[in-house]
Amino acid sequence: MADVNRRIVLAARPEGAPRETDFRLEQGPIPRPGPGQFLIRNLYLSLDPYQRGRMNPSWRYGRGLEIGDTMIGGTVGEVIESNHPAYRKGEIVEGLLGWQEYALHDGLGERANYGLGLTRIDPARGPLSTALGVNGMPGETAYFSIIEAARPKPGDTVVVTGAAGAVGSLAGQIAKLFGARVVGLAGSDAKVDYLVNELGFDVGINYKTAPDLMQAIRAACPDRIDVYYDNVGGPIADMMFRWLNRHSRIVIVGRIAQYNDAKMRTMPDVFSQIMLARASVIGFVVYDYDHRTEEARNRMARWVKEGKIRYAETIAKGIERAPEAFLSMLTGGNTGKQLVQLYPPP
Ligand SMILES: NC(=O)c1ccc[n+]([C@@H]2O[C@H](COP(=O)([O-])OP(=O)(O)OC[C@H]3O[C@@H](n4cnc5c(N)ncnc54)[C@H](OP(=O)(O)O)[C@@H]3O)[C@@H](O)[C@H]2O)c1
């Protein structure tokens, strides 16, 4: 075992898009567990768009980080030393232990609302990395937002943005399991090919190269949109509002196009469009479903084992690569879940 704990801290608040100089690698001694504590070696770190928001002084749902704080992030790790009666050496736990290699825990705390509690991971569910992706928070987000908010019916046209990412790729596949026709938007031809030829989406659109995106959306959805699954906000969401079907549903899951620009406004007449379509808008935050975590994780793991859901991971190696991988994820460098492997799984 290396004798230092390396971590990434917030060095500066980004103005607009974050840069590598907004982060700093620090190192210190590996903490030693006191009475009732245990030491965790983090194996995988999850990089997520919400972490961009936490770099601001305040964030819509959750406090902002202070300069010098360890970056917030979900982790899967192994208990390597324990003075706690309920946590044994070798157990695998998932929690919000941040962008660092080692962390102490006392086994207390809730999971809800970015709480610091831990969840034990059953390795039989799948590779440990999946506890941060398809069998973790992104999988839960996709599962509950589709079954509880979007509620697609057979034949519905569901449009998913951020479609090749961790949440969108799963949400689109779950909608297909419910018989929907699914159109995905993503930022490269390779991603569009992945959506259509590997995940079974009906149509894929490269939103960066389509000569007339509104026209491409109309062509892909001749019967208009029954469910708009919004991962991105911004001007793309505006276009979807212009092509809604009567009694459509809009599920607002994320607004990544707006995370670097707090002042970005969507079109002023969006409510007219909602009225004309008699549409429903549903705001979704996965933490409302914390009491049903096990249901989602078991269902996603089963679908993966049955071959009904496929997932991808983009994995950087080493804590020092986390800032670069984070910036890459924010600008579309990932397909599926962006992770950093800190140590090889046992
Ligand atoms: N409400 C909730 O409970 C909840 C939970 C988890 C995640 N989320 C949200 O869900 C969304 C997806 O999260 P994720 O973890 O699955 O991330 P992700 O999709 O795996 O990664 C982010 C992706 O966003 C795309 N992107 C970046 N800037 C964009 C822009 N201006 N316009 C369109 N697409 C852009 C990039 O793909 P391209 O190559 O396609 O551009 C990038 O790969 C985010 O908005 C996130 O905040 C919400």
Side-chain angles (χ1 to χ4, degrees), residues 155-168:
D156 275 355
T157 296
V158 176
V159 177
V160 179
T161 45
V167 172

Side-chain angles (χ1 to χ4, degrees), residues 44-185:
Y44 291 100
L45 164 68
S46 175
L47 298 178
D48 298 83
Y50 76 84
Q51 294 158 356
R52 167 65 188 90
R54 292 302 192 92
M55 298 172 81
N56 296 340
S58 66
W59 175 235
R60 293 182 195 94
Y61 47 110
R63 87 179 166 83
L65 296 167
E66 302 296 335
I67 299 293
D69 279 353
T70 302
M71 284 293 297
I72 185 171
T75 50
V76 162
E78 179 185 9
V79 176
I80 55 169
E81 228 180 300
S82 180
N83 297 328
H84 192 294
Y87 285 86
R88 293 182 319 277
K89 194 173 169 209
E91 279 192 289
I92 303 294
V93 289
E94 183 232 328
L96 209 60
L97 301 182
W99 296 22
Q100 59 182 339
E101 295 177 313
Y102 295 88
L104 288 179
H105 210 281
D106 56 13
L108 300 174
E110 299 287 327
R111 289 307 308 270
N113 290 319
Y114 300 94
L116 293 178
L118 293 176
T119 302
R120 281 192 173 80
I121 296 303
D122 175 4
R125 223 182 237 153
L128 297 183
S129 58
T130 62
L132 297 171
V134 64
N135 297 331
M137 186 276 278
E140 280 176 51
T141 302
Y143 175 79
F144 289 119
S145 59
I146 292 293
I147 70 161
E148 296 292 354
R151 295 176 172 272
K153 298 188 295 296
D156 275 355
T157 296
V158 176
V159 177
V160 179
T161 45
V167 172
S169 61
L170 302 174
Q173 291 181 83
I174 298 170
K176 280 228 59 105
L177 292 180
F178 283 86
R181 189 172 164 276
V182 178
V183 175
L185 272 70

Side-chain angles (χ1 to χ4, degrees), residues 46-51 59 61 114 137-138 141-142 145 161-169 185-188 191 207-208 229-233 235-236 252-260 264 283-288 328-338:
S46 175
L47 298 178
D48 298 83
Y50 76 84
Q51 294 158 356
W59 175 235
Y61 47 110
Y114 300 94
M137 186 276 278
T141 302
S145 59
T161 45
V167 172
S169 61
L185 272 70
S188 74
K191 289 185 180 186
Y207 73 89
K208 288 187 178 163
Y229 190 96
D230 188 12
N231 267 328
V232 303
I236 294 178
I252 311 282
V253 181
R255 317 238 88 202
I256 193 166
Q258 302 179 202
Y259 293 172
N260 290 327
M264 187 191 278
F284 179 88
V285 175
V286 65
Y287 294 105
D288 294 345
S328 165
M329 179 274 296
L330 289 177
T331 51
N334 62 311
T335 297
K337 178 67 208 155
Q338 178 70 60

Side-chain angles (χ1 to χ4, degrees), residues 201-254:
F201 281 47
D202 296 277
V203 183
I205 299 173
N206 181 341
Y207 73 89
K208 288 187 178 163
T209 58
D212 179 341
L213 186 54
M214 188 69 229
Q215 182 49 38
I217 293 162
R218 284 170 190 253
C221 309
D223 299 326
R224 293 187 173 242
I225 299 168
D226 298 297
V227 173
Y228 172 46
Y229 190 96
D230 188 12
N231 267 328
V232 303
I236 294 178
D238 286 354
M239 290 185 202
M240 303 301 174
F241 281 99
R242 296 199 189 99
W243 199 237
L244 296 172
N245 230 337
R246 285 268 175 97
H247 307 296
S248 46
R249 280 90 68 211
I250 300 140
V251 187
I252 311 282
V253 181

